Amino acid sequence: MPKAKKEKTAFQCRECGGAAPKWSGQCPECLAWNTLEEVRVPGAGGGLRLANYAGDPAVQDIGQVAAPAMQRIASGMAELDRVLGGGLVAGSVVLLGGDPGIGKSTILLQALGNIAAAGGKALYLSGEESAEQIALRARRLELGGGLRLLCENRVERVLALAEAERPAVLVVDSIQAMMTETLQSAPGSVAQVRESAAALVRYAKQTGCVVVLVGHVTKDGQLAGPRLLEHVVDAVLYFEGDRSTSFRLIRGIKNRYGALNEIGVFAMTDRGLKEVGNPSAMFIQRHPEALPGSVIFATREGTRPLLAEVQALVDKSAQVNPRRLAVGLEPNRLAMILAVLQRMAGCPLYDRDVFTNIVGGIRVGETGVDLALALAIYSSFYGRPLADGTVVFGELGLAGEIRPVQGGQERLKEAQNLGFTRAVVPKANAPKKPLRGLTVVAVGRVGDALEVLC
Ligand code: TYD
Ligand code: MG
């Protein structure tokens, strides 16, 4: 076979756009380090097109645009469909990110298996694992036949084969393993990832095939290549969860076709991921006796209320700068709450190490956790637990006031359903009608809230 003619490439700085003919560690223009990346140079005649725009899009009235109802393909897993906003939308591109080994390949293989079993055409493309490995996994997951498989990492060939195969759903596992022959850089490099993704996105839009890209997350929690894919895809889902436990969460952080921040909850079993219908029950654990520093809080993820546990450990620091650690929480929120506790509640925390954690490996980005976090820190500092059966939510203001949060009623309902007997909530979130079996303690200031501790 004659060797395909390589396109010309050059290097361009990601920061300033400066160009260099050869790679070097430092941009010759802005002097930033490690910002040069390979880019394609359009060949002769490939420059600006001047005439003949026939068939190109024209300006039109938005009311005249035909907008057919969206066609969605169910993945056969209600929790996954929920995050997607009701299933995979034809022609859309979804990015599924997560740490290695968290279950990305597993869930997508399961979803494709379901789609194939329902008569849909599904193609699983692996650039990382061999066909045997994937077949073994499929047996373990007890998937039926009908699922098509391809092990290849050259995008050009993938697209040629997909043209013949015409799948309704194509899973690309992973985008970092894909490469285009027009670039010389190694698979996984920024340029390769970007070009491969661009080709796959074009394919999805042209054919109406759903393309799901798997993306590994780097150590600092970003998708390889500085969030470089997030803006070119229609939906971004992230896998979360602590690998030492079986909980797995899929969170939608961008969705052009559904609600934001929706979550799906799963448990990893020896036969793949199983959906969890009642996630709150999974994240909270009733302790035989009340523990200082542990507080159950009610949060809201997307449209769904969720109970979880926050823990704090406060101890005398041996260092000049005490350690402050927030796992599953925003460090800045922790710093703010410590300041409020110190100033408004007279809790001397300046020489203490403070460690905080959301149990079960979930991440909470919402402000409703503030009050629970403050209570957990205070509780650990004074060794005073919160009585069993208590749930807490509320935002903390800098003046020490407790502010209301959205969805108070649903949070209270969820606590009631799970058998909680007392709720500490912001005044404005107190229910008008009493809830059976649940005593509501409405608080206005952080000082009042601290009085609920034993
Ligand atoms: P995998 O889907 O390969 O992770 P990723 O693609 O995100 O890197 O999942 C890997 C983990 O899941 C692995 O440690 C084995 C475990 N696992 C199970 O516990 N049960 C199963 O049925 C399967 C298929 C995997
Ligand atoms: Mg994998």
Side-chain angles (χ1 to χ4, degrees):
M1 205 174 84
K3 212 163 165 266
K5 195 165 160 259
K6 290 261 186 284
E7 268 188 55
K8 266 185 121 178
T9 63
F11 292 83
Q12 193 176 29
C13 174
R14 207 183 310 140
E15 305 282 332
C16 72
K22 270 206 246 143
W23 189 84
S24 79
Q26 193 177 26
C27 168
E29 311 241 341
C30 69
L31 307 183
W33 288 96
N34 289 324
T35 54
L36 286 192
E37 52 190 45
E38 196 176 11
V39 289
R40 273 194 223 177
V41 179
L48 203 59
R49 243 182 342 145
L50 287 179
N52 193 12
Y53 290 118
D56 284 6
V59 179
Q60 53 189 327
D61 190 302
I62 197 163
Q64 309 299 312
V65 181
M70 259 183 285
Q71 220 186 321
R72 290 192 187 257
I73 302 169
S75 69
M77 302 176 97
E79 289 289 303
L80 182 59
D81 287 341
R82 163 195 198 102
V83 187
L84 290 164
L88 295 156
V89 177
S92 71
V93 183
V94 179
L95 174 65
L96 176 64
D99 292 331
I102 198 149
K104 300 181 293 298
S105 305
T106 305
I107 196 166
L108 291 175
L109 200 59
Q110 281 178 273
L112 286 195
N114 294 338
I115 291 169
K121 280 198 103 178
L123 175 60
Y124 184 90
L125 162 69
S126 179
E128 297 183 349
E129 291 171 287
S130 69
E132 291 75 23
Q133 278 173 311
I134 297 161
L136 270 178
R137 182 178 301 146
R139 302 258 164 11
R140 183 171 169 190
L141 298 171
E142 296 176 347
L143 301 183
L147 173 57
R148 310 281 286 169
L149 177 64
L150 169 65
C151 293
E152 174 61 84
N153 64 358
R154 290 164 299 174
V155 172
E156 284 78 9
R157 186 159 153 75
V158 167
L159 293 180
L161 288 172
E163 210 60 60
E165 191 75 23
R166 292 243 155 231
V169 183
L170 167 68
V171 165
V172 180
D173 190 359
S174 65
I175 188 65
Q176 277 106 345
M178 293 298 138
M179 56 176 294
T180 152
E181 290 171 318
T182 55
L183 292 178
Q184 276 159 10
S185 46
S189 66
V190 173
Q192 285 286 10
V193 169
R194 182 173 6 204
E195 286 292 323
S196 307
L200 289 160
V201 169
R202 265 196 309 277
Y203 170 76
K205 302 293 166 204
Q206 279 162 7
T207 61
C209 170
V210 182
V211 173
V212 183
L213 306 175
V214 173
H216 293 296
V217 167
T218 53
K219 273 201 216 87
D220 53 3
Q222 292 201 330
L223 283 170
R227 315 211 115 189
L228 117 122
L229 295 178
E230 288 185 359
H231 69 280
V232 295
V233 300
D234 298 304
V236 181
L237 315 185
Y238 271 97
F239 240 115
E240 292 175 12
D242 185 347
R243 258 193 296 162
S244 59
T245 69
S246 62
F247 315 139
R248 299 288 185 271
L249 269 180
I250 295 187
R251 185 192 298 275
I253 62 158
K254 163 178 174 177
N255 195 346
R256 287 183 182 152
Y257 306 111
L260 199 66
N261 246 330
E262 199 64 81
I263 61 164
V265 186
F266 301 85
M268 181 63 96
T269 69
D270 57 352
R271 274 195 245 133
L273 286 153
K274 292 270 175 318
E275 300 171 56
V276 175
N278 183 2
S280 292
M282 216 171 81
F283 290 113
I284 54 177
Q285 199 187 359
R286 289 288 179 86
H287 304 291
E289 56 193 281
L291 300 175
S294 154
V295 175
I296 308 282
F297 65 97
T299 180
R300 205 167 72 140
E301 295 290 355
T303 54
R304 153 197 277 182
L306 183 74
L307 300 196
E309 179 178 347
V310 57
Q311 293 193 330
L313 176 67
V314 179
D315 199 9
K316 192 130 184 74
S317 179
Q319 295 162 14
V320 185
N321 291 321
R323 287 203 66 187
R324 271 55 210 278
L325 193 77
V327 179
L329 286 160
E330 254 205 80
N332 288 339
R333 280 222 90 70
L334 173 62
M336 199 191 86
I337 285 163
L338 291 175
V340 173
L341 279 177
Q342 180 148 330
R343 178 73 203 276
M344 301 296 160
C347 185
L349 293 161
Y350 56 89
D351 59 350
R352 307 288 156 140
D353 287 333
V354 180
F355 302 96
T356 56
N357 179 33
I358 307 280
V359 178
I362 54 170
R363 242 169 266 159
V364 179
E366 185 242 2
T367 53
V369 67
D370 289 1
L371 184 56
L373 185 60
L375 277 174
I377 294 167
Y378 200 82
S379 158
S380 171
F381 183 79
Y382 289 110
R384 289 164 55 189
L386 196 62
D388 188 38
T390 307
V391 65
V392 178
F393 65 84
E395 180 180 332
L396 200 55
L398 283 178
E401 81 280 21
I402 314 287
R403 301 162 153 273
V405 292
Q406 279 189 354
Q409 289 304 312
E410 291 109 70
R411 299 185 205 223
L412 286 169
K413 268 255 148 44
E414 182 80 356
Q416 190 189 24
N417 290 344
L418 283 152
F420 281 79
T421 51
R422 191 166 66 143
V424 182
V425 307
K427 274 219 170 87
N429 280 124
K432 297 201 177 57
K433 277 187 275 167
L435 292 161
R436 197 150 48 85
L438 189 72
T439 314
V440 175
V441 184
V443 288
R445 300 198 49 86
V446 65
D448 312 337
L450 300 174
E451 278 169 22
V452 303
L453 293 168
C454 300

